[in-house]
Amino acid sequence: LPVPGRDLKGVHFAMEFLTKNQKRLLMTKEGTLESQWDKDTFITAAGKDVIVIGGGDTGTDCIGTSMRHRCKSVTNFELMPQPPMERAPDNPWPQWPRVFGVDYGHAEVQAVFGKDPRVYSVMTKEFIGDDDGNLKALVTQDVEITAKGPRAIEGSEREWPADLVVLSMGFVSPEAYISQELGLDLDQRSNIHAVYGDYRTSVEGVFAGGDCRRGQSLVVWAIHEGRGVAESCDAYLKQKREDEVAAGSSAAGGAFANLSSISPNI
């Protein structure tokens, strides 16, 4: 999120926030640690005005975790407009229903604070800090969605108190430097093209799985596809070795010979 004040103390990525919390929960009832939890670097939402930027499952987990820390308040910013209550004409079955829903985190905030935490059609303009470099507020602008993407509405600035901001934004597509360097085929969403379950790309010996192949998704999918890619790589190398032995190839070159041309910058 390249806006002024991004480096202030109190602005964290969602996975940093959630991972440190999970490690804290691994303490045994005897008081010993089974993990590398460091209480001095633990990110707490206790007593703080929390803003979660971005939605989805990760954003909901950040909201729920903040509630369990007993935060002072929690607000959730969404760039897109509020979805309709029912399917729109351009969102027919069997497409994923883009409709308004309430997840567990939203319901908990509603129960405690009396209102849904989500604020739609806003984007962060800047973070504001105190003299010690600590986050104390942020400024947003309302946006409208145009054919060219989100457009900020001039004069719509609002300031929000914030002691902790958690960044839970998704991404449009993976960075292109690897696919461009290797000349990999992409799909219509600019993800690396590889068939699920096989994971081979358009370049021999190169495999892709997880978010770079399927787009932004759940971490369990990344774990699953990572294991699948490992199996496919193993099967590929075993077959290459068998073919080389059958052809009388030496072990010096073989399956890895074609990797010598890959840029050392990757």
Side-chain angles (χ1 to χ4, degrees):
L1 185 61
V3 300
R6 169 63 181 84
D7 296 328
L8 288 169
K9 289 178 285 186
V11 182
H12 300 276
F13 285 116
M15 293 311 297
E16 180 187 6
F17 175 57
L18 295 174
T19 300
K20 288 181 181 294
N21 181 75
Q22 186 62 30
K23 287 184 176 181
R24 179 191 183 211
L25 297 177
L26 295 178
M27 179 185 287
T28 66
K29 66 180 181 180
E30 290 79 20
T32 59
L33 292 176
E34 297 178 344
S35 69
Q36 298 300 312
W37 175 55
D38 183 353
K39 66 179 181 181
D40 294 326
T41 62
F42 177 67
I43 303 170
T44 180
K48 295 181 178 180
D49 290 310
V50 180
I51 294 179
V52 178
I53 302 179
D57 293 331
T58 302
T60 300
D61 289 341
C62 292
I63 293 170
T65 298
S66 298
M67 293 295 292
R68 285 155 181 72
H69 287 189
R70 296 181 180 273
C71 61
K72 180 180 179 181
S73 69
V74 59
T75 305
N76 183 204
F77 290 161
E78 295 265 12
L79 179 65
M80 303 301 288
Q82 180 174 326
M85 293 296 178
E86 299 180 350
R87 286 180 182 269
D90 61 349
N91 179 217
W93 185 89
Q95 294 180 359
W96 179 264
R98 298 190 295 272
V99 297
F100 181 80
V102 177
D103 212 327
Y104 76 95
H106 313 133
E108 290 178 12
V109 176
Q110 176 77 38
V112 174
F113 295 114
K115 64 178 182 178
D116 192 289
R118 288 168 287 186
V119 178
Y120 293 93
S121 299
V122 293
M123 67 189 307
T124 303
K125 184 178 181 180
E126 66 174 314
F127 297 109
I128 301 173
D130 61 20
D131 294 337
D132 296 321
N134 298 304
L135 177 72
K136 67 175 186 179
L138 62 76
V139 176
T140 63
Q141 282 183 294
D142 295 343
V143 300
E144 61 178 354
I145 304 301
T146 70
K148 296 182 179 180
R151 185 185 70 83
I153 299 174
E154 295 297 328
S156 63
E157 288 81 2
R158 285 181 284 174
E159 184 173 316
W160 307 73
D163 306 301
L164 172 64
V165 167
V166 185
L167 306 179
S168 178
M169 297 93 70
F171 64 94
V172 177
S173 59
E175 294 178 296
Y177 66 94
I178 292 180
S179 58
Q180 290 176 350
E181 181 74 28
L182 299 180
L184 303 176
D185 288 347
L186 306 178
D187 63 17
Q188 65 269 27
R189 296 187 296 162
S190 297
N191 298 318
I192 298 173
H193 180 67
V195 176
Y196 171 69
D198 180 60
Y199 304 112
R200 286 180 292 184
T201 68
S202 58
V203 175
E204 183 181 356
V206 179
F207 298 76
D211 287 5
C212 73
R213 189 201 70 83
R214 67 182 295 118
Q216 59 175 330
S217 186
L218 302 176
V219 67
V220 291
W221 272 113
I223 295 170
H224 171 73
E225 293 205 1
R227 291 171 174 169
V229 167
E231 292 177 354
S232 294
C233 289
D234 181 59
Y236 169 79
L237 292 173
K238 286 179 178 177
Q239 186 61 52
K240 290 285 287 186
R241 182 57 179 163
E242 291 176 4
D243 293 345
E244 289 165 4
V245 170
S249 301
S250 66
F256 299 99
N258 67 326
L259 300 182
S260 60
S261 62
I262 295 179
S263 169
N265 296 323
I266 294 180

